[in-house]
Amino acid sequence: MKKYLKVLIWIMVTGVIIAAAIGGGLYYFWSSSLPYIGNLQDYNPPIISEFYSADGETIGRFWKQKRIVVPYEEIPKNLINAFVAAEDDQFFKHSGVDFSGIIRAVIKNQLAGRKKQGASTITQQVARLMLLKSQEKKYKRKVREIILSLQIEKHFSKEKILFLYLNEIYLGSGAYGVESAARTYFNKSVSELNLAECAMIGGLIQAPSKYSPINNFDKAKIRQKYTLERMFSEGFITEAQKNEALETEIIANKERVEEDTFSKSPYFSEYIRRYIIDRYGRDLLYNGGLKVYTTVNLDMQQKAVASLQKGLEEVDKREGYRGPLKSVAPEEFESVKKEADEKFKEEHPAKGMVVHGLVTETDDDAGRAVVWAGSLKCLLPLKDMTWARKPDSEVIYYAYKAKLRKISDAVKPGDVILCRLENPAEVSPDAFDWVVSLEQNPKIQGALFSMENKTGKVRAMVGGYDFYQSQYDRANQSKRQPGSSFKPIIYAAALDNGMTPATVILDTPYISSLNPDEEIWRPKNYKKTFFGPTLFRNSLISSLNVITVKILKQVGIRKVINYARKMGIESELSPDLSLALGTSGLALTEITKTYSVFANNGFLAEPYYIERIEDRDGLILEENQPRLKKVISEDTAYVMTDILMGVIKEGTGHRAQALKRPAAGKTGTTDSLWDAWFIGYTPELVTGVWVGYDDHSPMGAGETGSRAASPIWLYYMKEALKGQPVQDFIAPESVVVAQIDNETGLLASPYSKKTVFQSFKKGTAPTTYTPRPEAPKSGNFLNLIWIFLTTTTSRTSSPWII
């Protein structure tokens, strides 16, 4: 018997030794390559990067994991207790692993025949999520998790572990961490949560999708009740608090999981996004928690969007009506109405809203159509759709004169159209709900760029009609021919090369070359007429092409290109006389910034979009300051401003007079009406506008920079400068003002038919008065020319250019 007992003891001891050896071996093997828990000390998870406007509003948020790290001290005690009660009620008592809980879970799971209860502590979840980063269900992973949990508890406080846990966990709907969850589900910061909301978030971790208050509110309420019961059982809240929380109304953010901050200034924000990726990399943007402080003024930006859209819609309507979105048979009317009603579930009918409408009746005698916008019966009067003629490139010169005469020529029953809710209808026997106007989505595109003259801060930038239809940035990425908007650069170069505003140039036909090996080029003015002797200032005010070619030739093409480089033009420029007509492609931002030179009395302001960029720790990665560089003389710049003010007062920019404050600018129109421009400035802002088709299709007859682009500039500048004091351009001491004859360029005299006040550089103003004209002999044209030439021989600074 003793012999058998010794054998049994030997076997047991051997078994224990072997088990210990195996266990020790497994422990050594599984623990030898454990992650370093010190990595938890410097917690740097992927977090959201945010862009801010100049006035502090968020205009862009970018992430791979939608997380905002919040300090432990800012997390409500109720929220902490909700997670502890629901997930690990022994958290403040155990040392990382709840062994009694593990035994209970094993027994319950065995009795149930399935996994009914888990036993992972909050510390174990931290180890699994942040160190092991594995969800595999293997003993090896579980042992490593336990070992790490014990180590974590030795090195970190309970508060630190909770801080890590509450910022790391995934809580559904793309939200990582409690701060992001609070914003996602309740549209508020975590510090603003009440007890009822804390309990609902605290119950999410077990199954975020199943218990989402957005997707499954009833199940979320059940889980909330469970969490509150556990909080009461653990003594975290009183019964009265529990009952009050159960009765508290929960307003879940059901309609929109989160505000689309990007929609506030999409083209501007997208430009910044591309810049960050190019310079700092995609990973830093989407994981690094950058804070990017931009220069955009959100109010001005939104006014820029509205102004551009309004102007493009006007141009598009002048092109004619392209027809309905679709046409349906009478049996489909009801289904179309139901589709339209879906929009009103998201947004109540309001003035200015553009919706789909179904035409059910037309009455040419009454001049109206009946349109159903869902269940709303609407009146579409002829007077609100007279623009809707059929597109016709051969229509009379100004398309707006071709008005729609009969409503049935544009719409018919069954047409599904776009219509704008204008006003609630007056009470009438027909019982209409709204009066609407006919709309269509423009095909024409445009861009607007606006910056401060004195600083270069970009305050507004719009790259197209609708970012969500086309993300192509026409302000920065597109290079189009600037047409006559390039001319001020040539004229400024001419002022620095001996010409004055009173220089007389003959506007007569010009042939570029008689070389038989080259194509003969005969530039023409826009109106295809010639004006004879013309003052330098007037040729720019009237945007005369032939005179500009002659000026370019006299100054020298290479000199003008070098001058353009000084003024900020970086794109390739054609080294030939076509440069005078603005045939070299430029970006809107590029040509606009050159005008800041005139506004700043010779200083070029480099535009910038970003004030500073901070990393997640507040370290400044980039900071920008105004960069102004003297590129031309102040007197040349001011004289150009004076002439460009004349463009608005007397010339092609006349529509901008409605701004009712000092302004200067220049229109631009390219051959075949492919591009329309207006670049203009006040002492505060320089703003450029471009209008055209992406595919270079010609616009309608008469769609020049004056007609298509300058109204957009005016709409924007009126709003952008509203309420600001009126400022004047300040002339430098090196400039004098003279009253001159608008035909001869000499000083005004009693014999002058028309006079103007014009700025000159000191020493270049005319000193001779306009003489009495001599009466030419009848029919002697040569004598007339001789008289004009002899009356100008005594001028000191008004040379001729033939």
Side-chain angles (χ1 to χ4, degrees):
M1 186 71 179
K2 289 181 178 181
K3 180 180 179 182
Y4 289 113
L5 183 59
K6 288 181 179 180
V7 172
L8 180 61
I9 292 173
W10 184 84
I11 292 172
M12 290 176 64
V13 171
T14 302
V16 169
I17 293 172
I18 292 172
I22 294 172
L26 290 174
Y27 177 84
Y28 177 80
F29 177 73
W30 287 343
S31 63
S32 61
S33 59
L34 286 174
Y36 176 54
I37 65 168
N39 293 333
L40 298 178
Q41 187 63 50
D42 299 319
Y43 179 55
N44 288 310
I47 58 176
I48 293 172
S49 290
E50 294 187 296
F51 298 171
Y52 302 100
S53 67
D55 35 351
E57 288 199 45
T58 304
I59 59 170
R61 306 174 81 229
F62 304 90
W63 65 83
K64 281 185 179 177
Q65 292 184 2
K66 189 171 60 176
R67 177 187 287 106
I68 301 172
V69 174
V70 58
Y72 179 81
E73 296 75 19
E74 295 182 15
I75 303 174
K77 193 67 175 176
N78 280 332
L79 185 58
I80 294 170
N81 291 337
F83 277 97
V84 170
E87 289 297 308
D88 186 1
D89 55 18
Q90 299 299 307
F91 175 74
F92 291 105
K93 299 174 183 177
H94 63 63
S95 58
V97 180
D98 184 3
F99 290 104
S100 61
I102 292 175
I103 295 171
R104 286 196 306 271
V106 170
I107 294 172
K108 286 187 177 182
N109 292 340
Q110 289 297 321
L111 291 174
R114 59 186 174 86
K115 185 176 179 180
K116 187 176 181 180
Q117 179 176 324
S120 290
T121 64
I122 285 176
T123 311
Q124 285 177 267
Q125 292 183 54
V126 169
R128 182 170 65 249
L129 289 171
M130 303 181 65
L131 295 175
L132 295 174
K133 298 180 180 179
S134 170
Q135 298 293 334
E136 61 178 357
K137 297 179 180 180
K138 293 182 179 180
Y139 288 114
K140 176 182 176 182
R141 194 270 298 165
K142 195 68 176 178
V143 171
R144 288 161 64 86
E145 179 184 298
I146 290 172
I147 296 169
L148 284 171
S149 299
L150 295 171
Q151 292 180 2
I152 289 170
E153 289 278 348
K154 286 182 180 180
H155 290 85
F156 299 104
S157 66
K158 293 287 186 180
E159 290 76 14
K160 177 70 173 182
I161 295 169
L162 282 170
F163 163 75
L164 296 170
Y165 176 72
L166 295 175
N167 281 292
E168 184 68 18
I169 52 176
Y170 179 65
L171 293 168
S173 297
Y176 288 81
V178 292
E179 175 68 20
S180 183
R183 296 190 186 194
T184 297
Y185 293 117
F186 304 117
N187 200 24
K188 59 175 65 174
S189 174
V190 70
S191 61
E192 301 172 310
L193 295 176
N194 58 41
L195 175 58
E197 293 162 339
C198 286
M200 190 162 281
I201 289 178
L204 282 170
I205 187 66
Q206 189 180 85
S209 179
K210 180 179 179 181
Y211 297 123
S212 166
I214 292 175
N215 302 325
N216 298 298
F217 188 77
D218 292 339
K219 289 183 178 179
K221 284 291 292 181
I222 293 171
R223 184 65 180 171
Q224 177 207 41
K225 182 179 179 182
Y226 165 79
T227 304
L228 288 167
E229 293 283 1
R230 293 293 306 128
M231 293 176 74
F232 171 63
S233 297
E234 294 299 321
F236 294 139
I237 58 174
T238 65
E239 187 171 13
Q241 288 175 315
K242 179 193 74 173
N243 293 333
E244 182 183 355
L246 287 171
E247 296 298 321
T248 300
E249 182 184 7
I250 295 286
I251 303 176
N253 195 17
K254 290 184 177 181
E255 291 188 0
R256 298 177 67 187
V257 172
E258 189 172 4
E259 180 186 14
D260 181 11
T261 58
F262 195 80
S263 66
K264 295 177 182 178
S265 58
Y267 281 106
F268 193 100
S269 298
E270 173 61 13
Y271 178 86
I272 301 298
R273 188 192 72 86
R274 293 196 309 267
Y275 171 82
I276 297 291
I277 290 174
D278 289 345
R279 179 157 186 178
Y280 298 99
R282 180 177 292 272
D283 183 67
L284 189 58
L285 174 64
Y286 285 94
N287 294 320
L290 298 177
K291 294 189 181 300
V292 182
Y293 298 90
T294 74
T295 61
V296 68
N297 180 300
L298 202 51
D299 181 59
M300 293 169 70
Q301 174 71 20
Q302 291 168 348
K303 287 171 178 175
V305 171
S307 300
L308 183 65
Q309 289 183 341
K310 179 182 179 181
L312 293 181
E313 287 164 4
E314 290 172 349
V315 175
D316 187 71
K317 287 180 179 179
R318 290 197 293 267
E319 303 280 275
Y321 181 53
R322 293 184 295 276
L325 301 174
K326 62 180 179 179
S327 295
V328 298
E331 56 268 21
E332 299 178 73
F333 283 10
E334 290 306 314
S335 63
V336 171
K337 290 181 184 179
K338 287 180 181 178
E339 288 176 15
D341 272 332
E342 291 298 315
K343 181 175 179 64
F344 297 130
K345 290 181 180 179
E346 303 172 5
E347 206 174 348
H348 293 297
K351 181 180 174 63
M353 182 186 293
V354 177
V355 297
H356 285 194
L358 173 67
V359 179
T360 57
E361 301 175 37
T362 59
D363 187 338
D364 287 335
D365 293 332
R368 72 180 193 183
V370 177
V371 177
W372 288 86
S375 56
L376 298 177
K377 185 180 181 183
C378 303
L379 170 67
L380 173 60
L382 176 63
K383 67 181 181 65
D384 288 330
M385 56 179 294
T386 54
W387 61 270
R389 63 175 182 82
K390 292 181 179 180
D392 181 3
S393 59
E394 300 301 322
V395 77
I396 56 177
Y397 188 73
Y398 287 110
Y400 66 83
K401 292 181 179 178
K403 306 259 186 189
L404 185 72
R405 303 299 181 187
K406 292 195 304 180
I407 205 161
S408 60
D409 286 342
V411 298
K412 63 182 184 302
D415 283 354
V416 178
I417 62 174
L418 282 180
C419 54
R420 187 184 302 274
L421 302 182
E422 296 291 355
N423 289 294
E426 297 179 359
V427 177
S428 68
D430 296 311
F432 287 105
D433 299 304
W434 282 84
V435 176
V436 299
S437 60
L438 181 66
E439 297 293 329
Q440 69 181 359
N441 285 324
K443 285 188 174 181
I444 194 82
Q445 278 292 350
L448 184 150
F449 176 76
S450 180
M451 73 179 204
E452 289 180 355
N453 288 319
K454 304 301 182 187
T455 65
K457 293 180 180 180
V458 179
R459 293 309 195 188
M461 190 272 285
V462 191
Y465 178 78
D466 185 344
F467 179 82
Y468 295 99
Q469 292 178 4
S470 169
Q471 288 78 53
Y472 184 54
D473 179 1
R474 296 160 186 84
N476 284 285
Q477 295 175 313
S478 176
K479 291 193 175 184
R480 305 288 292 240
Q481 294 181 350
S484 297
S485 62
F486 187 81
K487 288 176 180 175
I489 296 174
I490 299 172
Y491 280 70
L495 289 177
D496 278 346
N497 282 272
M499 298 187 196
T500 79
T503 299
V504 177
I505 305 130
L506 275 179
D507 184 29
T508 53
Y510 177 83
I511 298 176
S512 66
S513 175
L514 296 178
N515 188 329
D517 296 331
E518 296 181 14
E519 182 179 351
I520 294 176
W521 181 53
R522 297 182 177 88
K524 298 178 182 178
N525 295 321
Y526 176 70
K527 293 186 178 180
K528 299 180 180 178
T529 58
F530 297 95
F531 297 90
T534 305
L535 297 190
F536 178 100
R537 70 177 298 275
N538 293 341
S539 64
L540 182 56
I541 288 171
S542 299
S543 199
L544 301 181
N545 293 334
V546 176
I547 287 180
T548 307
V549 171
K550 293 180 177 182
I551 291 174
L552 174 61
K553 184 178 181 183
Q554 176 154 322
V555 174
I557 295 171
R558 182 49 55 189
K559 276 187 179 180
V560 169
I561 289 177
N562 291 337
Y563 204 88
R565 296 280 179 246
K566 284 199 307 180
M567 292 186 64
I569 298 298
E570 298 173 0
S571 296
E572 184 178 348
L573 297 174
S574 301
D576 55 51
L577 290 176
S578 70
L579 184 66
L581 307 185
T583 56
S584 299
L586 302 178
L588 175 64
T589 52
E590 190 176 16
I591 185 68
T592 302
K593 75 176 180 180
T594 65
Y595 281 64
S596 74
V597 176
F598 305 136
N600 290 332
N601 279 358
F603 285 87
L604 171 66
E606 284 293 341
Y608 67 98
Y609 297 74
I610 296 172
E611 296 273 14
R612 73 182 185 279
I613 302 173
E614 295 178 1
D615 69 8
R616 66 197 305 154
D617 299 317
L619 179 68
I620 296 176
L621 303 181
E622 176 179 326
E623 190 167 21
N624 294 302
Q625 301 289 341
R627 290 179 296 155
L628 276 74
K629 179 182 178 183
K630 187 70 174 288
V631 293
I632 66 175
S633 66
E634 60 181 359
D635 46 15
T636 296
Y638 185 81
V639 170
M640 283 303 305
T641 288
D642 194 30
I643 297 174
L644 292 173
M645 289 176 71
V647 172
I648 290 176
K649 294 175 183 176
E650 310 166 41
T652 56
H654 61 90
R655 286 177 171 86
Q657 292 181 57
L659 187 61
K660 296 182 178 177
R661 60 172 70 213
K666 184 69 186 75
T667 57
T669 308
T670 57
D671 194 24
S672 301
L673 300 176
W674 288 344
D675 303 276
W677 305 72
F678 187 75
I679 320 294
Y681 57 94
T682 63
E684 305 94 327
L685 292 174
V686 57
T687 299
V689 174
W690 167 83
V691 175
Y693 287 101
D694 286 339
D695 63 359
H696 293 268
S697 296
M699 293 179 284
E703 296 296 346
T704 61
S706 175
R707 188 161 179 249
S710 69
I712 296 171
W713 184 92
L714 178 62
Y715 298 149
Y716 166 73
M717 292 291 279
K718 269 187 172 181
E719 293 299 318
L721 297 172
K722 184 180 289 185
Q724 295 189 27
V726 175
Q727 296 185 31
D728 286 314
F729 295 105
I730 305 301
E733 294 182 358
S734 55
V735 165
V736 297
V737 177
Q739 186 178 16
I740 64 172
D741 186 295
N742 200 43
E743 292 182 359
T744 67
L746 300 175
L747 293 174
S749 76
Y751 306 108
S752 300
K753 295 179 180 178
K754 180 181 178 182
T755 65
V756 292
F757 287 95
Q758 176 59 53
S759 298
F760 292 86
K761 298 180 185 183
K762 274 187 178 179
T764 66
T767 57
T768 304
Y769 288 91
T770 299
R772 180 205 302 265
E774 295 184 23
K777 293 182 180 179
S778 177
N780 192 336
F781 178 74
L782 292 177
N783 191 39
L784 179 62
I785 294 294
W786 172 251
I787 290 174
F788 189 88
L789 290 172
T790 55
T791 59
T792 58
T793 53
S794 60
R795 68 180 72 212
T796 61
S797 58
S798 299
W800 272 71
I801 296 179
I802 304 291

